[in-house]
Amino acid sequence: MFEATYPKEKRRIGEIAIVGPKGSAKQPFIQSICQDVVITDQDIIFGSLKISGDLFLFLYGIGTNGRAYDFAWDLVAQKILGYIVLFDWYDEQSFKRSKQLLDFLTFRFDAPVIIAADVRDRPYPVNEKIYRPNISLTAKDRLTFCRSDDTKSTKR
């Protein structure tokens, strides 16, 4: 289980789930922002980030391996601030599986979603507006490009 040593005084915790198909860079993404990272054998990665003296952000990297229903989403959804759907921009299968995850999350839960197209170490693609018609976004959802191992990019 994830253990972190924080002062006993009152603290606020925010939680964000980073989800993506197999091969998405959830681990490098979380490690780029969190010093405390724990990897489990159930394809779940935990990370924590101290935002201020009393505010902490917990990141949960959740692998689905094509089976989104095999996870206890209802338990996570009760406290989650939002979801980041992470996929490899240059892998068409990753993109297709991410669209399925996006549909699953937006249909079942009422939380903001960021779709993060990971370009890794390659150059950023052309303007994202060209690709928006291929992804169903609601008013709460956002599409962005990132580099999963770059701290500045993942924080943005």
Side-chain angles (χ1 to χ4, degrees):
M1 187 65 193
F2 180 66
E3 294 182 28
T5 55
Y6 299 111
K8 299 262 186 214
E9 68 258 7
K10 188 176 183 178
R11 63 178 182 243
R12 298 176 303 159
I13 296 173
E15 299 177 354
I16 296 176
I18 293 91
V19 299
K22 186 174 183 171
S24 62
K26 294 176 293 294
Q27 182 177 342
F29 186 94
I30 292 173
Q31 287 177 320
S32 73
I33 7 182
C34 300
Q35 291 180 344
D36 297 324
V37 176
V38 175
I39 302 163
T40 72
D41 59 351
Q42 282 82 33
D43 201 15
I44 298 175
I45 304 158
F46 297 101
S48 65
L49 175 66
K50 184 175 182 177
I51 304 295
S52 67
D54 67 339
L55 178 61
F56 296 87
L57 183 62
F58 286 1
L59 303 175
Y60 306 115
I62 303 169
T64 61
N65 291 329
R67 300 178 314 268
Y69 298 103
D70 289 351
F71 186 78
W73 292 105
D74 292 331
L75 295 175
V76 173
Q78 293 174 14
K79 301 186 302 181
I80 206 79
L81 295 175
Y83 299 92
I84 298 174
V85 176
L86 182 65
F87 72 96
D88 181 347
W89 176 255
Y90 294 100
D91 180 346
E92 189 174 331
Q93 290 303 315
S94 181
F95 178 69
K96 287 179 183 177
R97 288 187 199 108
S98 294
K99 286 173 42 174
Q100 292 169 345
L101 270 170
L102 177 64
D103 290 342
F104 171 78
L105 292 171
T106 55
F107 179 74
R108 289 206 47 197
F109 308 108
D110 188 31
V113 176
I114 296 174
I115 300 95
D118 185 8
V119 297
R120 301 187 186 187
D121 59 352
R122 298 177 185 153
Y124 278 96
V126 297
N127 191 329
E128 69 185 69
K129 290 180 183 175
I130 293 171
Y131 299 99
R132 278 186 192 245
N134 293 321
I135 301 175
S136 302
L137 300 174
T138 69
K140 293 186 294 185
D141 304 333
R142 298 287 180 260
L143 171 65
T144 189
F145 293 96
C146 71
R147 287 196 167 93
S148 57
D149 61 353
D150 178 347
T151 301
K152 183 177 178 184
S153 178
T154 55
K155 280 187 175 182
R156 180 182 45 95

